[in-house]
Amino acid sequence: MNRILEEKIVKVFLFITAITAVFSVLLIGVFVFMEGMPIFLKYGITDVLFGPVWNPSSGVYGIWPMIVGTIYVTLIAILIGAPMGLGVAVYLVEIANKRIAKLIVPAVELLAGIPSVVYGLFGMFAVRSIIAELERGPLADYLPSNYQTGYSVLTAGIILAIMILPTIINISLDALKAVPREYKEGSLALGVSHWQTIYKVLVPAAKSGIITAIILGVGRALGETMAVIMVIGNTPLVPVLDWTGLFAPARSLTANIALEMGYAGPEHQQALFATGIVLFVFIIVLNSLTTLLVRRKGRK
Amino acid sequence: MAITEVKQTSPSQAAASSAGQQFQIEAKTLDLFYGDFQALHGINLDISQKQITALIGPSGCGKSTFLRTLNRMNDLVKGVSIKGEVRIGGENIYDKNVNVVELRKKVGMVFQKPNPFPMSIFDNIAYGPRAHGIKKKSQLTEIVERSLRQAALWEEVKDRLHSSALGLSGGQQQRLCIARVLAVEPEIVLMDEPTSALDPLATLKVEELVNELKQSYTIVIVTHNMQQAARISDITSFFLNGKIVETDVTSKIFTNPTHKQTEDYITGKFG
C-alpha cells in the first residue's frame, strides 16, 4: 500500500468531514432565508417584524409578539441565572472545600444533561402552580382577570434560568480559575478581606470570560423550545411591559415554529420560516459578539 | 573571653538594644508542617524595628515559608499547621482572636514576581486605601502621589497614572507593587525575593529603594542573592533545612561566620 496515497486519502476524508459543518450551516441558512423571505417581500419587512398581530388564518403575520416574548423571557432568565451561576462559580473556586465541591460539580453536570422536556414538566407542575397561586391569591387584585393559570413569562424565565445555569457556571468557573493566583495573594497581603478581593479583583479579572458565559447562556435561552412551550402559555400577544407583564402568557419565536408547523398551509409555512430567520439573526449576532470578545481577550 | 561574651548575646539583640528599641517581631520555637512534612523546625528569630533583616539560604530551606508565617499568608495553603508563636508588637499573631485582615494591613508583602492588578496605575495604588474605606478623591490622589514618590516611581509615571499598570516594565511594576504596599501604611514590609525576576539595573533601583524605606519601615527580605543581602541588610539570618543556622550582624556573617555551614554556603560550596 502506498503510504503517501494513504496519507492523502485520510487528509481528503478529514477535510470533507470538516467542510460538512460549514456546508450544513450555509445550507440551513440559505434554506431558511429562501423559504422565509417571500413573506417579508409580500407584506413588507417592518409589517412582519413589528406587526403586533399574529393571525395566520386571516393572513396576518406579525412576528412582534414573539420577538418581545423571546427577549422578555431571555432577559428574566439572565437576570436570575447569571448572578446565581456566577455565585456558584465563585463559591466553587474560592470558598467550597473539596467535599462540598465534589457534591456540587456533578450536580451541575447532571443539570446540563436533563432533557428539556423534563425541565418543562418540572416547570409545568412545580413552578407554574406556585405562580398560579400568586396570580389567584395576593396578586389577584393587580392582575388582569384572565391571568389565572400560572403559564407566564415569569414561569418560563425561571425554568430557563435553571437550564442556563450549567453553561454560566462552567464557563465562568474556567474564567475564574484562570485568574493568576498572584492577584489574590497581592490583594490579601494588603489587608483586603477575602470578599473584597473576590469582587474587586478576581471577578473583574475574569470579566471577559464571565461575559462570554452570559452570552452563551443567552444563546441557550433563545434557542430553547420544548421547555418554553410547556410553561409560557403560548398566547401570541405582546406582553405588557410593566411588572404585570411578568404574569402574562406569551409566546417565543421557537415555540411559534414548533407549535404551528404541523398544520401550516404554504403561506403560513413561509411566515414560520420568517420567524426562523429572526431567530437565526439573533443567534448570529450573539455568536459574533462572543467571537469579538474572545478575540479582544486574545489581543490583550 | 571577651569574644565569647559577644557571641552569647544574640547580635540582633545587641543591635536592637544599642538603638534603644524593642523587638518588633519575635518568632519563638516555631514549627510549621505541610501535612506530614515539617518545613520549619523550632525557629527562633527576633527582628528589630527599622532595620533590614535578610533571610538567606539554599532553595527549599524554609526562608520563604518563614517569611509567609509573618503575615499568615501560609493560611492560604491547604494542610498547613503551625506550632509555637510569632509575636508582632508583643501580640501572638496566631492567637485565635487575631484579625488576619488587620494583621496584613500592618504587615505588607512584596512578592517574587511583580503582581500589579490589571487596572490603572492609580487604581492599583488606591486599591488598598479604597478597600479600607477611604473614598475621598482628593485624599486618594494624595496617597497615590505620596506612595509613588516613596517608591521612587512618581517621576516615571506621573503623566500616565490612568493607563494600565501592566504596560510598565518589570522593574517599574515591582516598584509599583512596593508603592501599593506603602499606600496602606504598614509598619513592616516583607519582601520575598523581590528582585529575582528583574534585570540588574532594575534590581539596583529596588535595592536603593529598600535602603530608603528602612528609615520608616521594618523590612524582612528573603533573597537568593548573597551580594544583595550583604549590600542592603543590617542583620542576616542563614536558613538550612528548615532551621536557622546562624543569625548575626550582616558584616560578620559575610566576613567571619560562626558556623562552618554558613561559611560553606556564602563561599559557594553548596546552594
Side-chain angles (χ1 to χ4, degrees):
Chain A
M1 179 70 186
N2 189 336
R3 285 254 149 184
I4 299 170
L5 185 70
E6 193 184 304
E7 192 90 348
K8 268 190 180 161
I9 291 173
V10 171
K11 260 190 192 165
V12 169
F13 177 74
L14 289 178
F15 175 75
I16 291 171
T17 34
I19 210 77
T20 310
V22 181
F23 259 120
S24 311
V25 168
L26 274 180
L27 220 64
I28 293 172
V30 168
F31 180 68
V32 170
F33 271 84
M34 268 173 55
E35 292 290 319
M37 276 326 269
I39 284 290
F40 285 116
L41 296 177
K42 185 172 174 191
Y43 295 98
I45 290 181
T46 44
D47 278 5
V48 176
L49 279 184
F50 302 114
V53 179
W54 174 266
N55 191 352
S57 46
S58 30
V60 186
Y61 304 107
I63 302 177
W64 188 240
M66 278 65 81
I67 293 178
V68 176
T70 299
I71 294 177
Y72 206 169
V73 167
T74 306
L75 203 70
I76 290 163
I78 286 302
L79 284 180
I80 300 171
M84 258 179 82
L86 182 57
V88 174
V90 167
Y91 181 76
L92 283 174
V93 175
E94 282 299 314
I95 297 158
N97 60 33
K98 269 197 186 134
R99 277 214 336 259
I100 298 181
K102 268 188 188 156
L103 195 75
I104 297 177
V105 172
V108 171
E109 276 163 17
L110 210 62
L111 213 54
I114 295 176
S116 56
V117 69
V118 176
Y119 277 102
L121 278 178
F122 171 72
M124 244 171 136
F125 288 94
V127 183
R128 184 198 56 79
S129 53
I130 295 171
I131 303 284
E133 286 298 318
L134 283 175
E135 286 175 348
R136 291 176 209 146
L139 299 175
D141 293 343
Y142 309 100
L143 295 174
S145 55
N146 58 337
Y147 294 4
Q148 299 262 329
T149 56
Y151 290 109
S152 68
V153 171
L154 184 60
T155 319
I158 291 170
I159 288 301
L160 283 177
I162 304 171
M163 292 181 77
I164 63 174
L165 270 184
T167 309
I168 293 182
I169 293 172
N170 285 328
I171 296 169
S172 40
L173 194 69
D174 288 344
L176 285 167
K177 274 186 185 161
V179 174
R181 201 179 49 130
E182 285 87 359
Y183 291 168
K184 181 180 172 184
E185 288 194 332
S187 174
L188 291 176
L190 291 169
V192 174
S193 69
H194 192 186
W195 163 238
Q196 281 177 309
T197 301
I198 288 170
Y199 86 95
K200 284 192 163 162
V201 175
L202 302 186
V203 170
K207 197 172 62 188
S208 67
I210 292 168
I211 293 174
T212 307
I214 293 174
I215 293 177
L216 290 178
V218 170
R220 174 102 212 264
L222 277 182
E224 180 48 45
T225 312
M226 181 49 84
V228 174
I229 289 179
M230 290 169 79
V231 295
I232 199 172
N234 302 317
T235 316
L237 291 174
V238 181
V240 195
L241 292 177
D242 62 21
W243 72 270
T244 57
L246 286 176
F247 295 91
R251 183 186 285 197
S252 71
L253 290 163
T254 49
N256 198 37
I257 301 171
L259 286 167
E260 298 187 1
M261 211 49 168
Y263 59 85
E267 196 180 58
H268 187 180
Q269 255 185 27
Q270 289 177 341
L272 295 178
F273 272 104
T275 315
I277 294 178
V278 176
L279 204 55
F280 210 80
V281 170
F282 273 16
I283 298 291
I284 289 174
V285 168
L286 275 180
N287 277 10
S288 328
L289 265 180
T290 328
T291 323
L292 218 72
L293 263 171
V294 172
R295 212 178 286 157
R296 220 176 47 187
K297 193 186 164 200
R299 230 182 284 142
K300 239 198 294 177
Chain B
M1 279 319 280
I3 292 166
T4 25
E5 288 271 338
V6 172
K7 258 186 210 164
Q8 270 158 7
T9 34
S10 135
S12 57
Q13 219 159 4
S17 58
S18 71
Q21 291 159 341
Q22 238 196 338
F23 298 123
Q24 194 167 15
I25 307 172
E26 302 160 280
K28 286 180 183 156
T29 60
L30 186 74
D31 292 335
L32 183 141
F33 301 81
Y34 291 122
D36 293 333
F37 173 72
Q38 185 166 7
L40 295 177
H41 300 262
I43 301 290
N44 285 297
L45 184 63
D46 297 332
I47 293 169
S48 318
Q49 216 171 28
K50 297 189 183 169
Q51 286 202 328
I52 301 176
T53 303
L55 313 179
I56 61 168
S59 297
C61 68
K63 54 194 194 300
S64 283
T65 300
F66 174 71
L67 191 76
R68 284 164 169 258
T69 60
L70 301 180
N71 66 344
R72 291 187 57 172
M73 282 309 270
N74 283 325
D75 289 11
L76 299 184
V77 184
K78 276 176 193 144
V80 164
S81 58
I82 281 166
K83 278 186 214 151
E85 51 183 46
V86 176
R87 298 189 160 274
I88 290 183
E91 184 192 19
N92 181 11
I93 61 170
Y94 285 93
D95 253 4
K96 269 193 182 144
N97 48 15
V98 164
N99 180 340
V100 182
V101 170
E102 287 298 317
L103 168 74
R104 292 189 184 134
K105 224 190 273 184
K106 209 162 68 177
V107 187
M109 186 166 207
V110 177
F111 296 83
Q112 187 170 357
K113 205 176 122 201
N115 59 348
F117 302 131
M119 40 178 102
S120 74
I121 293 169
F122 185 97
D123 289 338
N124 259 280
I125 310 286
Y127 175 79
R130 272 183 184 139
H132 300 142
I134 296 174
K135 290 209 176 73
K136 252 170 69 184
K137 177 91 182 160
S138 60
Q139 207 179 346
L140 287 170
T141 313
E142 192 194 302
I143 291 172
V144 169
E145 180 173 346
R146 190 192 62 221
S147 310
L148 285 170
R149 278 187 192 283
Q150 268 186 303
L153 192 58
W154 174 252
E155 290 303 324
E156 291 160 59
V157 301
K158 64 180 179 190
D159 299 322
R160 48 169 170 154
L161 288 178
H162 295 284
S163 50
S164 169
L166 301 182
L168 297 172
S169 72
Q172 289 173 324
Q173 288 190 5
Q174 194 60 302
R175 279 179 284 143
L176 179 81
C177 292
I178 295 174
R180 190 172 71 186
V181 169
L182 301 181
V184 296
E185 302 183 15
E187 294 166 17
I188 300 165
V189 179
L190 310 175
M191 299 188 167
D192 190 359
E193 301 191 34
T195 60
S196 65
L198 306 182
D199 64 60
L201 259 178
T203 300
L204 191 70
K205 280 200 163 173
V206 171
E207 284 182 12
E208 283 171 4
L209 169 60
V210 172
N211 234 331
E212 283 288 310
L213 295 178
K214 183 177 133 176
Q215 313 280 335
S216 335
Y217 306 91
T218 304
I219 292 167
V220 187
I221 183 169
V222 164
T223 176
H224 245 106
N225 176 337
M226 280 178 283
Q227 283 78 30
Q228 182 169 70
R231 277 193 300 263
I232 64 175
S233 70
D234 302 299
I235 305 288
T236 298
S237 189
F238 173 54
F239 279 66
L240 188 63
N241 300 329
K243 297 182 181 111
I244 292 185
V245 174
E246 178 168 9
T247 303
D248 213 323
V249 175
T250 300
S251 56
K252 181 155 185 307
I253 288 262
F254 283 94
T255 53
N256 185 20
T258 310
H259 289 266
K260 180 78 171 49
Q261 284 169 316
T262 316
E263 193 183 328
D264 287 351
Y265 180 69
I266 60 170
T267 54
K269 283 200 183 134
F270 69 95

